[in-house]
Amino acid sequence: MSEAASSHVALAKNTRNSATNRGTADGELLPSLVPLLHSWLPRQRWFAGKGRPVTGFSLVSATEMLPLDGTAGPGLLHLLVRAEQPSGDSGPAEDCYQLLVGVRASMPPALASALIGRVERGPLAGRTVYDALHDPRLADLLLERLRRPGALGSLRFERTAPVPEGLAPRVLDAEQSNSSLVYGDAYILKIFRRVFPGANPDLELPLALAREGCDRVPAPVAWFEAPGAGPLTLGVLQPFLHGARDGWQLALAALAAGRDFLPEARALGRATAEVHTALAAALPTPALRGTQTRQLVAGMTRRLEEAARAVPALVPYVPGLRAAFDAVTDLGVRGSGWAQQRVHGDLHLGQTLRSPDGFWSLIDFEGEPARPLPERRSPAPPARDVAGMLRSFDYAARSHRPWNPEWAARCRAAYCEGYAQASGSDPRGEPELLRAHETDKAVYEVLYEARHRPDWLPVPMAAIQRLARSAAA
């Protein structure tokens, strides 16, 4: 029997005790970890509240996935913890984070980089805690749980297809807002770190696409969640596209080699259209008319005003940018309407993968992490995704020296041509709607870059200048 399978047997035997016999330990557990979490949590790349102090923690749930019995082997503790932080005039904000915590009497040197700290008091006093995803023994156990659907404490594991055992795990270092484990170059498990009540679109939409037979998105094989009135999606296991390269890397390589990216951009447009077509077949497609159009524009205008207050460089362009939004309102008043549907929500070159045979896939359907989950799950015109990809071509061109605006323009045109070939509708045929969404995306980029990467601010500001002139013309 493999080590992972042995761990599963031990886990199954102790599930009832782990879930029901913690008693006062739960009440003592979080206070004993708080000093360590205050230091460790804000340093993680996926922590969303950077720049604001953490004023408190509260425990949502605690599940012993592998008993913390004080033996030489590791224990595994699954925690959902709310971090309280000040949030301006609206009062404190409480983000819920998923932590998988390994517990050992002593740490092997190989796990030093995963250290959270040594617990001084409470039920884990004298033991060392660490990020369990970096421990191959505990990562094996997590896959074993996904292989065997069912409940464990406050967690529930689901599966759509058999998953082989004994796949060696490794942590991907490239993640920003989540964490991922690759198992044997066959599967990738995305662990959502900041979690929200309700269906996560990164599970919901790939499942819907799989039902439609769309192979442009890797179909979920297994997942786990915390059940409730608004279940929390905690992790999704999908096939790992071994050997694939993301579109951003490929675009930069093309720029560095001085060659066009037109065949790739055109094929990527076709892939996007196929995904949109399948999503429209799988899920409701309400029309965008009247009140909905005004609500769409109101949201864009609000985000523009908020960004201008935070980034003074944006202020001179506000009238021209607002004109791009007003053009959509004017069309709506005159009776124009548009199709809406579920979309990717944060589409750019980095959210695409091209396999060695040239096949494009779309990944990461969470949407923009800064937006509330209900907003990310709302239908939108497909132009929103198209605009995101058009902005991404511009980013790629401007990240290369010397800047090559013609390269970006040709890629943008080829992408729209490919989209039209697969869908029968050219996104450029609705210029006002496309311009408004591209403007909204550029405003988002300005705010993001000003807060996180000031050196990149000239990239979206150049688009802001172009879009303000275009809308005012």
Side-chain angles (χ1 to χ4, degrees):
M1 183 181 293
S2 70
E3 182 177 63
S6 299
S7 297
H8 173 74
V9 172
L11 176 63
K13 289 179 178 178
N14 287 277
T15 294
R16 182 171 56 84
N17 291 338
S18 298
T20 61
N21 289 350
R22 287 190 302 271
T24 58
D26 270 1
E28 300 169 5
L29 175 64
L30 186 61
S32 72
L33 294 176
V34 160
L36 302 178
L37 294 180
H38 266 296
S39 172
W40 178 79
L41 190 62
R43 298 200 309 268
Q44 306 313 301
R45 286 184 296 181
W46 39 263
F47 182 68
K50 286 181 170 57
R52 293 180 285 131
V54 177
T55 56
F57 291 98
S58 60
L59 185 64
V60 176
S61 71
T63 302
E64 290 182 21
M65 298 187 69
L66 191 62
L68 314 175
D69 57 9
T71 62
L76 177 57
L77 185 63
H78 182 280
L79 300 179
L80 292 175
V81 175
R82 284 198 182 94
E84 185 174 307
Q85 296 183 274
S87 182
D89 298 334
S90 59
E94 292 185 353
D95 287 326
C96 184
Y97 292 96
Q98 176 181 195
L99 310 179
L100 287 114
V101 179
V103 182
R104 287 178 179 260
S106 60
M107 284 278 283
L111 293 175
S113 63
L115 178 68
I116 296 175
R118 184 175 177 83
V119 183
E120 299 296 331
R121 60 189 180 90
L124 303 180
R127 285 190 269 180
T128 300
V129 294
Y130 59 98
D131 186 347
L133 298 187
H134 294 267
D135 187 336
R137 292 179 65 183
L138 300 182
D140 282 344
L141 177 67
L142 192 54
L143 182 65
E144 190 65 22
R145 283 301 328 179
L146 289 161
R147 293 184 64 244
R148 300 171 183 267
L152 173 63
S154 60
L155 308 176
R156 174 166 291 279
F157 294 80
E158 304 285 354
R159 194 189 72 184
T160 60
V163 179
E165 63 178 332
L167 301 174
R170 60 184 173 90
V171 177
L172 285 186
D173 294 328
E175 288 281 357
Q176 294 294 326
S177 58
N178 299 296
S179 299
S180 289
L181 287 166
V182 173
Y183 288 96
D185 285 338
Y187 297 94
I188 183 168
L189 172 63
K190 178 186 284 189
I191 300 292
F192 300 107
R193 291 297 198 166
R194 184 184 178 207
V195 295
F196 304 86
N200 190 309
D202 211 9
L203 173 62
E204 178 191 16
L205 297 187
L207 282 175
L209 289 165
R211 291 193 296 268
E212 287 296 319
C214 178
D215 60 355
R216 291 291 185 176
V217 177
V221 176
W223 62 92
F224 68 110
E225 60 188 10
L232 300 172
T233 305
L234 302 176
V236 180
L237 185 74
Q238 294 171 282
F240 180 63
L241 303 181
H242 182 59
R245 297 180 64 190
D246 74 55
W248 178 256
Q249 295 173 328
L250 292 169
L252 294 186
L255 280 159
R259 63 176 178 82
D260 274 327
F261 195 63
L262 302 186
E264 295 91 338
R266 195 170 287 110
L268 187 52
R270 289 194 293 270
T272 306
E274 289 178 21
V275 170
H276 281 170
T277 299
L279 285 173
L283 297 166
T285 56
L288 177 66
R289 296 183 183 276
T291 301
Q292 293 86 357
T293 302
R294 289 191 291 273
Q295 290 173 343
L296 173 71
V297 172
M300 292 176 169
T301 303
R302 183 186 68 253
R303 289 188 288 272
L304 172 60
E305 292 170 349
E306 291 171 353
R309 286 195 294 269
V311 186
L314 198 56
V315 172
Y317 304 101
V318 166
L321 301 174
R322 190 179 286 118
F325 304 149
D326 291 341
V328 173
T329 301
D330 292 343
L331 286 174
V333 169
R334 294 199 295 268
S336 295
W338 297 273
Q340 287 192 113
Q341 62 169 84
R342 296 297 296 278
V343 296
H344 183 284
D346 189 25
L347 190 61
H348 54 77
L349 287 165
Q351 308 282 42
T352 66
L353 291 173
R354 185 175 182 266
S355 64
D357 64 1
F359 187 82
W360 283 101
S361 299
L362 275 58
I363 59 172
D364 294 339
F365 279 72
E366 280 185 271
E368 293 177 1
R371 298 196 185 200
L373 183 61
E375 186 177 327
R376 287 187 269 144
R377 295 187 65 231
S378 297
R384 178 176 171 184
D385 280 350
V386 173
M389 189 60 69
L390 299 187
R391 293 292 312 121
S392 194
F393 286 124
D394 193 42
Y395 255 78
R398 283 188 171 271
S399 68
H400 182 265
R401 298 290 183 271
W403 175 44
N404 190 340
E406 292 79 12
W407 183 94
R410 290 193 296 272
C411 285
R412 289 158 62 96
Y415 176 81
C416 290
E417 290 165 4
Y419 190 100
Q421 290 169 1
S423 70
S425 176
D426 193 322
R428 295 168 295 183
E430 298 174 329
E432 295 85 1
L433 189 65
L434 184 59
R435 185 186 304 118
H437 278 285
E438 190 175 356
T439 301
D440 189 42
K441 184 67 173 179
V443 169
Y444 169 86
E445 292 165 354
V446 165
L447 188 59
Y448 179 88
E449 304 299 6
R451 288 176 172 172
H452 302 286
R453 302 187 303 181
D455 290 346
W456 283 71
L457 186 56
V459 176
M461 284 303 301
I464 289 294
Q465 296 168 16
R466 170 177 60 83
L467 290 163
R469 288 195 304 269
S470 176

